[in-house]
Amino acid sequence: ISESSKRLLLKYVKKPVRVAYPFPHKEFFHIKSVGGTRNVLFIGRNDKTKGYMELVTAVKMLRCSDKRWNLYLIGECSKSVKGEEGIHPLGYVKHMEPYMRICTYFVHPAHADVTTPATVFEAMNAGIIPIISNELGQSEIFHKNRFDNLILADNRSETIAKKLEELSWEDTRKLSYKARSLSKKFREKERLKMFKKEFEGLLASL
């Protein structure tokens, strides 16, 4: 599911390995982020290695000087976060579209995650600007597509806050368009074709 996963697996097995990136469970191209807000989105399970606690701290830091910053957390991660002004742990949400519309940024600052979370692509579908750690499988995709400025140097709250602050002063419309366009390469039809190709190649190499 990522080049990082492949490298990790090859440490333990001496067998052929192929990479086939995943695709979103549900597409959100029918939604368009309004952009220009200081609203941040995180979607994930209750696993603190995903970095959402550092993200919570980062948004609190930003709110010290600008109360327009808000963080919306969807999923079981909400169980570990106390709701307060600007911090909105929503838990399970049946329809994510309203939050996709109002959020400009999607941040996934995982500490150690060699997978390629579909939620990053889902947010990009809606034109939400993704900010990720170098630990995610998407980091390889971002490097190849000149999205390096959307990859965090580390997972510290200070680093996350600084990146969000920097991006808030840029023209987010261009970044939003680029994110949406890139995510179109990771749709079910295209990814299944690639999976078939890689799977057949794997079988042929055995």
Side-chain angles (χ1 to χ4, degrees):
I1 52 178
S2 73
E3 291 292 341
S4 299
S5 299
K6 177 181 177 179
R7 288 192 293 271
L8 180 62
L9 184 59
L10 287 173
K11 289 181 179 180
Y12 303 98
V13 298
K14 300 299 180 183
K15 299 289 185 181
V17 179
R18 296 295 184 104
V19 174
Y21 288 109
F23 50 85
H25 309 302
K26 177 183 178 181
E27 292 189 344
F28 289 90
F29 289 110
H30 62 291
I31 301 298
K32 190 173 182 180
S33 166
V34 295
T37 73
R38 283 168 168 71
N39 294 331
V40 182
L41 180 65
F42 178 86
I43 304 170
R45 64 180 185 270
N46 192 14
D47 178 354
K48 293 181 181 178
T49 66
K50 303 301 180 184
Y52 58 85
M53 295 307 295
E54 286 81 1
L55 176 57
V56 169
T57 302
V59 173
K60 288 180 180 180
M61 292 167 61
L62 289 166
R63 284 182 58 81
C64 289
S65 58
D66 189 342
K67 298 298 183 186
R68 290 176 294 174
W69 286 101
N70 286 278
L71 172 60
Y72 297 87
L73 301 110
I74 294 177
E76 289 193 350
C77 59
S78 302
K79 293 178 179 179
S80 297
V81 179
K82 183 180 179 182
E84 58 184 272
E85 189 176 357
I87 307 297
H88 312 279
L90 303 170
Y92 170 73
V93 172
K94 187 174 182 179
H95 301 290
M96 294 195 292
E97 285 85 348
Y99 302 100
M100 293 276 193
R101 285 193 183 95
I102 65 171
C103 289
T104 298
Y105 309 99
F106 179 89
V107 183
H108 201 312
H111 297 272
D113 192 340
V114 295
T115 65
T116 308
T119 52
V120 177
F121 292 134
E122 290 171 354
M124 291 167 68
N125 286 174
I128 299 175
I129 298 166
I131 301 169
I132 65 172
S133 72
N134 208 40
E135 307 302 320
L136 291 194
Q138 275 96 346
S139 64
E140 301 147 3
I141 298 167
F142 281 25
H143 283 304
K144 290 177 183 176
N145 289 274
R146 299 181 180 180
F147 270 46
D148 304 77
N149 64 318
L150 299 180
I151 300 174
L152 296 163
D154 56 60
N155 313 80
R156 295 183 305 118
S157 298
E158 293 82 1
T159 303
I160 299 169
K162 182 180 179 182
K163 177 61 68 176
L164 283 166
E165 179 69 16
E166 288 173 356
L167 291 173
S168 71
W169 295 106
E170 292 187 19
D171 183 354
T172 57
R173 290 173 298 179
K174 187 175 180 179
L175 277 174
S176 173
Y177 175 80
K178 287 175 65 179
R180 191 179 179 96
S181 297
L182 178 58
S183 73
K184 290 179 180 178
K185 296 180 181 180
F186 298 89
R187 307 185 78 168
E188 182 175 359
K189 185 177 180 180
E190 289 75 14
R191 288 297 102 193
L192 288 179
K193 283 181 182 178
M194 183 58 68
F195 178 84
K196 182 175 184 290
K197 178 183 176 182
E198 293 297 330
F199 186 70
E200 289 174 347
L202 180 62
L203 291 177
S205 65
L206 295 176

